[in-house]
Coordinates of all heavy atoms in Angstrom, one line a residue:
M226 N 99.8 -74.7 86.2 CA 98.7 -74.7 87.1 C 98.0 -76.1 86.9 O 97.7 -76.5 85.8 CB 97.7 -73.6 86.7 CG 96.4 -73.5 87.4 SD 95.5 -72.1 86.9 CE 94.2 -72.2 88.0
N227 N 97.7 -76.7 88.0 CA 97.0 -78.0 88.0 C 95.5 -77.8 88.0 O 95.0 -76.9 88.7 CB 97.4 -78.8 89.2 CG 98.8 -79.3 89.2 OD1 99.4 -79.4 88.1 ND2 99.4 -79.7 90.3
S228 N 94.8 -78.5 87.2 CA 93.3 -78.4 87.2 C 92.8 -79.8 87.6 O 93.4 -80.8 87.4 CB 92.8 -78.0 85.9 OG 93.1 -79.0 84.9
I229 N 91.6 -79.7 88.2 CA 91.0 -81.0 88.6 C 90.4 -81.7 87.4 O 89.7 -81.1 86.6 CB 89.9 -80.7 89.7 CG1 90.4 -80.0 90.9 CG2 89.1 -81.9 90.0 CD1 89.3 -79.5 91.8
E230 N 90.7 -82.9 87.3 CA 90.3 -83.8 86.2 C 89.2 -84.8 86.5 O 88.5 -85.3 85.6 CB 91.5 -84.6 85.6 CG 92.6 -83.7 85.0 CD 92.1 -82.8 83.8 OE1 91.3 -83.3 83.0 OE2 92.5 -81.7 83.8
K231 N 89.0 -85.0 87.8 CA 88.1 -86.1 88.3 C 87.5 -85.7 89.6 O 88.3 -85.2 90.5 CB 88.7 -87.5 88.3 CG 87.8 -88.5 88.8 CD 88.3 -90.0 88.6 CE 89.3 -90.3 89.6 NZ 89.7 -91.8 89.6
I232 N 86.2 -85.9 89.8 CA 85.6 -85.7 91.1 C 84.9 -87.0 91.5 O 84.2 -87.6 90.7 CB 84.5 -84.6 91.1 CG1 85.2 -83.2 90.7 CG2 83.7 -84.5 92.4 CD1 84.2 -82.1 90.5
V233 N 85.1 -87.4 92.7 CA 84.5 -88.7 93.2 C 83.7 -88.3 94.4 O 84.2 -87.7 95.4 CB 85.6 -89.7 93.6 CG1 84.9 -91.0 94.2 CG2 86.4 -90.1 92.4
I234 N 82.4 -88.6 94.4 CA 81.5 -88.3 95.5 C 81.0 -89.6 96.1 O 80.5 -90.5 95.3 CB 80.3 -87.4 95.0 CG1 80.7 -86.2 94.3 CG2 79.3 -87.2 96.0 CD1 79.7 -85.5 93.5
R235 N 81.1 -89.7 97.3 CA 80.6 -90.9 98.0 C 79.4 -90.5 98.9 O 79.4 -89.6 99.7 CB 81.6 -91.6 99.0 CG 82.7 -92.2 98.1 CD 83.6 -93.1 98.9 NE 84.6 -93.7 98.0 CZ 85.7 -93.1 97.5 NH1 86.0 -91.9 97.9 NH2 86.5 -93.8 96.7
V236 N 78.3 -91.2 98.7 CA 77.0 -90.9 99.4 C 76.7 -92.1 100.2 O 76.7 -93.2 99.8 CB 75.9 -90.6 98.3 CG1 74.6 -90.4 99.0 CG2 76.3 -89.5 97.4
T237 N 76.3 -91.8 101.5 CA 75.9 -92.9 102.4 C 74.4 -92.7 102.6 O 73.9 -91.6 103.1 CB 76.7 -92.8 103.7 OG1 78.0 -93.0 103.4 CG2 76.2 -93.9 104.7
A238 N 73.7 -93.7 102.3 CA 72.2 -93.7 102.6 C 71.9 -94.6 103.8 O 72.5 -95.7 104.0 CB 71.5 -94.3 101.4
V239 N 71.0 -94.1 104.6 CA 70.6 -94.9 105.8 C 69.1 -95.3 105.6 O 68.2 -94.6 105.3 CB 70.7 -94.0 107.1 CG1 70.2 -94.8 108.3 CG2 72.1 -93.5 107.3
Y240 N 68.9 -96.7 105.7 CA 67.6 -97.2 105.4 C 67.1 -97.9 106.7 O 67.8 -98.4 107.5 CB 67.7 -98.4 104.4 CG 68.2 -97.9 103.1 CD1 69.5 -98.0 102.7 CD2 67.3 -97.4 102.1 CE1 70.0 -97.5 101.5 CE2 67.8 -96.9 100.9 CZ 69.1 -97.1 100.6 OH 69.5 -96.6 99.3
A241 N 65.8 -97.7 106.9 CA 65.1 -98.4 108.0 C 63.7 -98.6 107.6 O 63.0 -97.7 107.2 CB 65.2 -97.6 109.3
T242 N 63.2 -99.9 107.7 CA 61.9 -100.2 107.2 C 61.1 -101.0 108.3 O 61.7 -101.8 109.0 CB 61.9 -100.9 105.9 OG1 62.6 -102.2 106.1 CG2 62.4 -100.1 104.8
D243 N 59.9 -100.7 108.4 CA 59.0 -101.4 109.3 C 57.6 -101.2 108.9 O 57.1 -100.0 108.9 CB 59.2 -101.0 110.8 CG 58.2 -101.6 111.7 OD1 58.0 -102.9 111.5 OD2 57.7 -101.0 112.7
D244 N 56.9 -102.2 108.4 CA 55.6 -102.0 107.8 C 54.5 -101.9 108.9 O 53.3 -101.6 108.6 CB 55.2 -103.2 106.9 CG 56.1 -103.2 105.6 OD1 56.6 -102.1 105.2 OD2 56.3 -104.3 105.0
T245 N 54.8 -102.2 110.1 CA 53.8 -102.1 111.2 C 53.5 -100.7 111.6 O 52.5 -100.5 112.3 CB 54.2 -102.9 112.4 OG1 55.3 -102.2 113.0 CG2 54.6 -104.3 112.0
G246 N 54.3 -99.7 111.4 CA 54.1 -98.4 111.9 C 54.3 -98.2 113.3 O 53.9 -97.3 114.0
S247 N 55.1 -99.1 113.9 CA 55.4 -99.1 115.3 C 56.1 -97.8 115.8 O 57.1 -97.5 115.3 CB 56.2 -100.3 115.6 OG 56.8 -100.2 117.0
Q248 N 55.5 -97.2 116.8 CA 56.2 -96.0 117.4 C 57.5 -96.3 118.0 O 58.5 -95.6 117.9 CB 55.3 -95.4 118.5 CG 55.9 -94.2 119.2 CD 56.3 -93.0 118.2 OE1 55.6 -92.8 117.3 NE2 57.4 -92.4 118.5
A249 N 57.6 -97.6 118.6 CA 58.9 -98.0 119.2 C 60.0 -98.1 118.1 O 61.1 -97.7 118.3 CB 58.7 -99.3 119.9
F250 N 59.6 -98.6 116.9 CA 60.5 -98.8 115.8 C 60.9 -97.4 115.4 O 62.1 -97.1 115.2 CB 59.9 -99.6 114.7 CG 60.8 -99.8 113.5 CD1 61.8 -100.7 113.6 CD2 60.8 -98.9 112.4 CE1 62.7 -100.9 112.5 CE2 61.6 -99.0 111.4 CZ 62.6 -100.1 111.4
R251 N 60.0 -96.5 115.2 CA 60.4 -95.1 114.8 C 61.4 -94.4 115.8 O 62.3 -93.8 115.3 CB 59.1 -94.3 114.6 CG 58.3 -94.6 113.3 CD 57.3 -93.6 113.0 NE 56.3 -93.3 114.0 CZ 55.2 -94.0 114.1 NH1 54.9 -94.9 113.3 NH2 54.4 -93.7 115.1
Q252 N 61.1 -94.6 117.0 CA 62.0 -94.1 118.0 C 63.4 -94.7 118.0 O 64.4 -94.0 118.1 CB 61.4 -94.2 119.4 CG 62.2 -93.5 120.5 CD 62.2 -92.0 120.3 OE1 61.2 -91.4 120.0 NE2 63.4 -91.4 120.2
A253 N 63.5 -96.0 117.7 CA 64.7 -96.6 117.6 C 65.5 -96.1 116.4 O 66.7 -96.0 116.5 CB 64.5 -98.2 117.5
V254 N 64.8 -95.9 115.3 CA 65.5 -95.3 114.1 C 66.0 -93.9 114.5 O 67.2 -93.6 114.2 CB 64.5 -95.3 113.0 CG1 65.2 -94.4 111.8 CG2 64.2 -96.6 112.5
Q255 N 65.2 -93.1 115.1 CA 65.6 -91.7 115.5 C 66.8 -91.8 116.5 O 67.7 -90.9 116.5 CB 64.5 -90.9 116.1 CG 63.5 -90.6 115.1 CD 62.2 -90.0 115.8 OE1 62.1 -89.9 117.0 NE2 61.3 -89.6 115.0
D256 N 66.9 -92.8 117.3 CA 68.0 -92.9 118.3 C 69.2 -93.6 117.7 O 70.2 -93.7 118.3 CB 67.5 -93.8 119.5 CG 66.5 -93.0 120.3 OD1 66.3 -91.8 120.2 OD2 65.8 -93.8 121.1
G257 N 69.1 -94.0 116.4 CA 70.2 -94.6 115.7 C 70.5 -96.0 116.0 O 71.6 -96.6 115.8
L258 N 69.5 -96.7 116.6 CA 69.6 -98.1 117.0 C 69.3 -99.1 115.9 O 69.7 -100.2 116.0 CB 68.8 -98.3 118.3 CG 69.1 -97.5 119.5 CD1 68.1 -97.7 120.6 CD2 70.4 -97.7 120.0
V259 N 68.4 -98.7 115.0 CA 68.0 -99.5 114.0 C 68.2 -98.9 112.6 O 67.6 -97.9 112.3 CB 66.4 -99.9 114.1 CG1 66.0 -100.8 113.0 CG2 66.2 -100.6 115.4
S260 N 69.1 -99.4 111.8 CA 69.2 -98.9 110.4 C 70.2 -99.8 109.6 O 70.8 -100.6 110.2 CB 69.8 -97.5 110.5 OG 71.1 -97.5 111.0
D261 N 70.1 -99.6 108.4 CA 71.0 -100.3 107.5 C 71.6 -99.2 106.6 O 70.9 -98.4 106.1 CB 70.2 -101.3 106.6 CG 71.1 -102.1 105.6 OD1 72.3 -102.3 106.0 OD2 70.5 -102.6 104.7
T262 N 72.9 -99.2 106.4 CA 73.6 -98.2 105.6 C 74.2 -98.8 104.3 O 74.6 -100.0 104.4 CB 74.7 -97.4 106.4 OG1 75.7 -98.3 106.8 CG2 74.1 -96.7 107.6
S263 N 74.2 -98.1 103.3 CA 74.8 -98.4 102.0 C 75.6 -97.2 101.5 O 75.1 -96.1 101.6 CB 73.8 -98.9 101.0 OG 73.1 -100.0 101.4
T264 N 76.7 -97.4 100.9 CA 77.5 -96.3 100.3 C 77.6 -96.5 98.8 O 77.8 -97.6 98.3 CB 78.9 -96.3 101.0 OG1 78.8 -96.2 102.4 CG2 79.8 -95.2 100.4
Y265 N 77.3 -95.4 98.2 CA 77.3 -95.3 96.7 C 78.3 -94.3 96.2 O 78.6 -93.3 96.9 CB 76.0 -95.0 96.1 CG 74.8 -95.9 96.7 CD1 74.1 -95.6 97.8 CD2 74.7 -97.2 96.2 CE1 73.1 -96.3 98.3 CE2 73.7 -98.0 96.7 CZ 72.9 -97.6 97.7 OH 72.0 -98.4 98.2
T266 N 78.9 -94.6 95.0 CA 80.0 -93.7 94.5 C 79.5 -93.1 93.2 O 78.9 -93.8 92.3 CB 81.3 -94.5 94.3 OG1 81.6 -95.0 95.5 CG2 82.4 -93.6 93.7
I267 N 79.7 -91.8 93.0 CA 79.5 -91.1 91.8 C 80.8 -90.5 91.3 O 81.5 -89.8 92.1 CB 78.5 -89.9 92.0 CG1 77.1 -90.5 92.6 CG2 78.2 -89.2 90.7 CD1 76.2 -89.4 93.1
T268 N 81.1 -90.8 90.1 CA 82.4 -90.2 89.6 C 82.1 -89.4 88.3 O 81.4 -89.8 87.5 CB 83.3 -91.4 89.2 OG1 83.6 -92.2 90.3 CG2 84.7 -90.8 88.7
M269 N 82.7 -88.2 88.4 CA 82.6 -87.2 87.2 C 84.0 -86.9 86.7 O 85.0 -86.9 87.5 CB 81.9 -86.0 87.7 CG 80.5 -86.2 88.2 SD 79.7 -84.7 88.8 CE 79.4 -83.9 87.2
V270 N 84.1 -86.8 85.4 CA 85.4 -86.4 84.8 C 85.2 -85.2 83.9 O 84.2 -84.9 83.4 CB 85.9 -87.6 83.9 CG1 86.3 -88.8 84.7 CG2 85.0 -88.0 82.8
R271 N 86.3 -84.4 83.9 CA 86.2 -83.2 83.1 C 86.6 -83.6 81.6 O 87.6 -84.2 81.3 CB 87.3 -82.2 83.6 CG 87.3 -80.8 82.8 CD 88.4 -79.9 83.2 NE 88.4 -79.7 84.6 CZ 88.0 -78.5 85.1 NH1 87.4 -77.6 84.3 NH2 88.0 -78.3 86.4
E272 N 85.8 -83.1 80.7 CA 86.0 -83.3 79.3 C 86.1 -81.9 78.7 O 85.9 -80.8 79.3 CB 84.9 -84.1 78.7 CG 85.0 -85.5 79.1 CD 83.9 -86.4 78.5 OE1 83.1 -85.9 77.6 OE2 83.9 -87.6 78.8
V273 N 86.3 -81.8 77.4 CA 86.5 -80.5 76.7 C 85.3 -79.7 76.9 O 85.3 -78.5 77.2 CB 86.8 -80.7 75.2 CG1 86.8 -79.4 74.5 CG2 88.2 -81.4 75.1
G274 N 84.0 -80.2 76.8 CA 82.8 -79.5 76.9 C 82.3 -79.3 78.3 O 81.3 -78.7 78.5
G275 N 83.0 -79.8 79.3 CA 82.5 -79.7 80.7 C 82.6 -81.0 81.5 O 83.2 -81.9 81.1
W276 N 81.9 -81.0 82.6 CA 81.9 -82.2 83.4 C 80.9 -83.2 82.9 O 79.8 -82.9 82.6 CB 81.6 -81.8 84.9 CG 82.7 -81.1 85.5 CD1 82.9 -79.7 85.6 CD2 83.9 -81.7 86.1 NE1 84.0 -79.4 86.2 CE2 84.7 -80.5 86.5 CE3 84.3 -82.9 86.3 CZ2 85.9 -80.8 87.2 CZ3 85.5 -83.1 86.9 CH2 86.3 -82.1 87.4
R277 N 81.3 -84.5 83.0 CA 80.4 -85.6 82.6 C 80.5 -86.7 83.6 O 81.5 -87.0 84.2 CB 80.9 -86.2 81.2 CG 81.0 -85.2 80.1 CD 79.6 -84.8 79.5 NE 79.8 -84.0 78.4 CZ 79.4 -82.7 78.4 NH1 79.0 -82.1 79.4 NH2 79.6 -82.0 77.3
F278 N 79.3 -87.4 83.8 CA 79.3 -88.6 84.6 C 80.1 -89.7 84.0 O 80.0 -90.0 82.8 CB 77.8 -89.1 84.8 CG 77.0 -88.3 85.8 CD1 76.0 -87.5 85.3 CD2 77.3 -88.4 87.1 CE1 75.2 -86.7 86.1 CE2 76.5 -87.7 88.0 CZ 75.5 -86.8 87.5
A279 N 81.0 -90.2 84.7 CA 81.8 -91.4 84.3 C 81.3 -92.7 84.8 O 81.3 -93.7 84.2 CB 83.3 -91.2 84.7
Q280 N 80.7 -92.6 86.1 CA 80.3 -93.8 86.7 C 79.4 -93.4 87.9 O 79.6 -92.4 88.5 CB 81.4 -94.6 87.2 CG 81.1 -95.9 88.0 CD 81.1 -95.7 89.5 OE1 81.7 -94.8 90.0 NE2 80.3 -96.5 90.1
F281 N 78.2 -94.1 88.0 CA 77.5 -93.8 89.2 C 76.7 -95.2 89.6 O 76.3 -95.9 88.7 CB 76.5 -92.7 89.2 CG 75.5 -92.8 88.0 CD1 74.3 -93.4 88.2 CD2 75.8 -92.3 86.8 CE1 73.3 -93.4 87.2 CE2 74.9 -92.4 85.8 CZ 73.7 -92.9 86.0
E282 N 76.7 -95.5 90.9 CA 76.0 -96.7 91.3 C 74.6 -96.4 91.7 O 74.2 -95.4 92.1 CB 76.7 -97.2 92.7 CG 78.1 -97.6 92.4 CD 78.9 -98.0 93.7 OE1 78.4 -97.6 94.8 OE2 79.9 -98.6 93.6
V283 N 73.7 -97.4 91.3 CA 72.3 -97.3 91.5 C 71.9 -98.3 92.6 O 72.2 -99.4 92.5 CB 71.6 -97.6 90.2 CG1 70.1 -97.5 90.4 CG2 72.1 -96.7 89.1
P284 N 71.1 -97.8 93.6 CA 70.8 -98.7 94.7 C 69.6 -99.5 94.3 O 68.4 -99.2 94.5 CB 70.3 -97.7 95.8 CG 69.9 -96.5 95.1 CD 70.8 -96.4 93.8
F285 N 69.8 -100.7 93.7 CA 68.8 -101.7 93.4 C 69.0 -102.9 94.2 O 70.1 -103.4 94.4 CB 68.9 -102.1 92.0 CG 68.3 -101.1 91.0 CD1 69.1 -99.9 90.7 CD2 67.1 -101.2 90.5 CE1 68.5 -99.0 89.9 CE2 66.5 -100.2 89.7 CZ 67.2 -99.1 89.3

């Protein structure tokens, strides 16, 4: 029987910033016209005592 030894999770974050509070900007974000995306990876491995984080990216 094969067991899973590693889990890789990819998370995509969507960022949009505007300090003016513009309604037009908020609408553009909702319409998907203005955004910046970043993808981060979280890796977990199975050890004798359970699952442990092996690696995770931090959005800095």
Side-chain angles (χ1 to χ4, degrees):
M226 177 178 184
N227 291 339
S228 63
I229 298 172
E230 298 296 323
K231 179 168 80 169
I232 297 173
V233 178
I234 303 167
R235 288 192 178 79
V236 179
T237 301
V239 179
Y240 300 94
T242 58
D243 176 39
D244 294 334
T245 68
S247 163
Q248 176 61 37
F250 181 81
R251 286 195 300 271
Q252 187 61 50
V254 170
Q255 291 174 355
D256 293 342
L258 302 175
V259 178
S260 66
D261 181 24
T262 61
S263 297
T264 302
Y265 305 99
T266 303
I267 301 167
T268 304
M269 300 178 74
V270 294
R271 183 188 301 260
E272 294 184 357
V273 174
W276 289 96
R277 304 284 185 250
F278 285 105
Q280 178 265 335
F281 58 93
E282 296 176 340
V283 180
F285 284 78

